[in-house]
Amino acid sequence: AVADAPRGGPAVGGAGAAGADRGTGDRVAGRVGRSTPKREPPPAPPRPNGHGSGDTPDRALVGGGDRAAAAIADARQLVRDRVAAAAADGVVVDLGAGGDSALTAAIAAAALGPERVRGVHLPCHKAAGLATPTPESIADEVGIDGDRVTIRPLVAELEAALPARITEPAGASDLADFVSRVRMACTYYVANARTLLVAGTTNRTDLHLGRATPYGDGAADVRPLGGSYASERGHLCRRLGLTDLCGADSSVGAGPSTGVDDLASGSLAAADRGDPEPLGDSVETDLVLAHLVDCDLGIERTAAELGVDRAVVRRCAKLHVRAERTGTAPPATAGTRNHRGYFHEIELQFESTP
């Protein structure tokens, strides 16, 4: 009765109607409220409106100025509200994701105070941690405490415990997903031991294209960057005063573009895990996603408004539809998934071409 009560409704009264005494109802209601982050999809900030009006999403990307400030303010408030609702002591952030980690940690520290943000770096291979900005530089710049633990022995032990018939056919992408999930399991162990929430480092581009590993780096209790595209990261970093970290990360300097004249079909490679050319971060990719997903313009209209090859937009549409189907919460007994429908999803269903 408590869990199924409408949001904001008389939960304790519902427990009483179920035959429980007031004290039991209060205890259950408290536990249900604190477990909300574990039962709901991790929230993300809204897209900031610019030249649009009302609730209409803006098709432009965030540059500097007021929109960047609004995006950061929304992200800070989301972290603050989520931590308060869960009665948590703060958040833990994986520091191994480069610029996204730097921005996530800085937003969390601005929202809660650096003393309530914990950083973890859980490398598995020797190359881990060589990307810039480094986990150490992020912790120093943001002013948070961090721990570094190599998880390679743990991964090797788990691999050795599995039967050879399971591990031998595994490819590089399978191992990468496995490592990502082991790393997230360790991150949640830290979070649970310290009464923290996990602040995910996944940005909007990664979510739309399905580049985050489900139950791996895609797992989180809150996603401060879920409302921001990858190409907007540099502007947000600089707004927070992370100039040194932005300069160190070559992928965060991109800014919004007034046009997409340089967008060709070859510039948007498929983001399939088995594809030899993974889709990279770019202003052009994000402009397509902003039109296609945020504004739900469909394939044909997105291609026409941006002046790009329809095949390019269709490729992004297919990746997004697949990400929606695999990245949302698993369906319950009713057999329905909790995600909105998109116009390009309908278009793809009626197309005869593969």
Side-chain angles (χ1 to χ4, degrees):
V2 172
D4 295 337
R7 186 180 295 273
V12 175
D21 61 81
R22 176 82 184 191
T24 300
D26 288 341
R27 287 194 300 273
V28 173
R31 294 186 67 178
V32 169
R34 290 190 297 273
S35 69
T36 297
K38 302 179 186 300
R39 293 183 287 107
E40 295 183 350
R47 287 290 295 165
N49 285 341
H51 301 295
S53 59
D55 295 328
T56 303
D58 198 316
R59 303 173 196 176
L61 300 181
V62 171
D66 293 341
R67 289 192 71 204
I72 292 171
D74 287 341
R76 283 201 309 259
Q77 191 61 49
L78 176 69
V79 172
R80 199 176 294 122
D81 291 346
R82 195 67 167 177
V83 168
D89 292 337
V91 298
V92 59
V93 181
D94 176 10
L95 299 182
D100 285 332
S101 290
L103 187 52
T104 301
I107 289 172
L112 305 172
E115 70 281 357
R116 299 180 66 189
V117 180
R118 190 80 191 178
V120 293
H121 178 214
L122 304 169
C124 183
H125 304 288
K126 290 183 179 180
L130 297 181
T132 54
T134 64
E136 293 77 15
S137 66
I138 295 172
D140 290 342
E141 181 74 16
V142 179
I144 62 175
D145 291 331
D147 296 293
R148 184 184 189 277
V149 178
T150 301
I151 62 171
R152 179 58 193 168
L154 177 58
V155 171
E157 188 73 20
L158 290 172
E159 282 187 294
L162 292 170
R165 65 178 183 277
I166 294 177
T167 58
E168 286 179 354
S173 63
D174 301 316
L175 178 59
D177 286 344
F178 179 59
V179 171
S180 179
R181 288 169 179 139
V182 171
R183 180 178 292 117
M184 187 52 67
C186 294
T187 303
Y188 265 99
Y189 184 80
V190 173
N192 292 341
R194 292 178 169 267
T195 319
L196 306 174
L197 297 184
V198 174
T201 59
T202 307
N203 60 54
R204 197 173 188 84
T205 306
D206 293 336
L207 292 172
H208 282 343
L209 296 178
R211 299 193 303 200
T213 300
Y215 308 106
D217 58 346
D221 296 317
V222 61
R223 287 182 177 137
L225 305 188
S228 301
Y229 286 106
S231 60
E232 299 170 334
R233 188 170 54 220
H235 295 288
L236 302 183
C237 274
R238 284 186 280 274
R239 187 76 187 186
L240 283 167
L242 303 176
T243 306
D244 292 341
L245 295 184
C246 287
D249 187 351
S250 61
S251 67
V252 302
S257 173
T258 56
V260 286
D261 295 337
D262 57 336
L263 181 58
S265 60
S267 65
L268 288 179
D272 298 347
R273 291 189 175 275
D275 195 287
E277 299 180 72
L279 181 61
D281 295 342
S282 72
V283 174
E284 291 76 19
T285 300
D286 292 342
L287 280 171
V288 170
L289 292 173
H291 284 66
L292 186 69
V293 181
D294 294 342
C295 298
D296 198 16
L297 298 186
I299 297 172
E300 302 295 342
R301 189 174 170 189
T302 295
E305 291 207 3
L306 292 177
V308 302
D309 189 340
R310 180 185 179 280
V312 174
V313 182
R314 182 177 182 274
R315 190 180 304 162
C316 284
K318 290 185 68 176
L319 292 171
H320 174 251
V321 168
R322 186 175 61 188
E324 281 287 297
R325 291 173 177 170
T326 60
T328 53
T333 53
T336 57
R337 287 187 181 273
N338 183 26
H339 77 275
R340 59 167 291 188
Y342 290 88
F343 188 61
H344 59 266
E345 188 171 3
I346 300 174
E347 289 178 299
L348 290 171
Q349 290 176 352
F350 281 91
E351 285 190 354
S352 57
T353 54

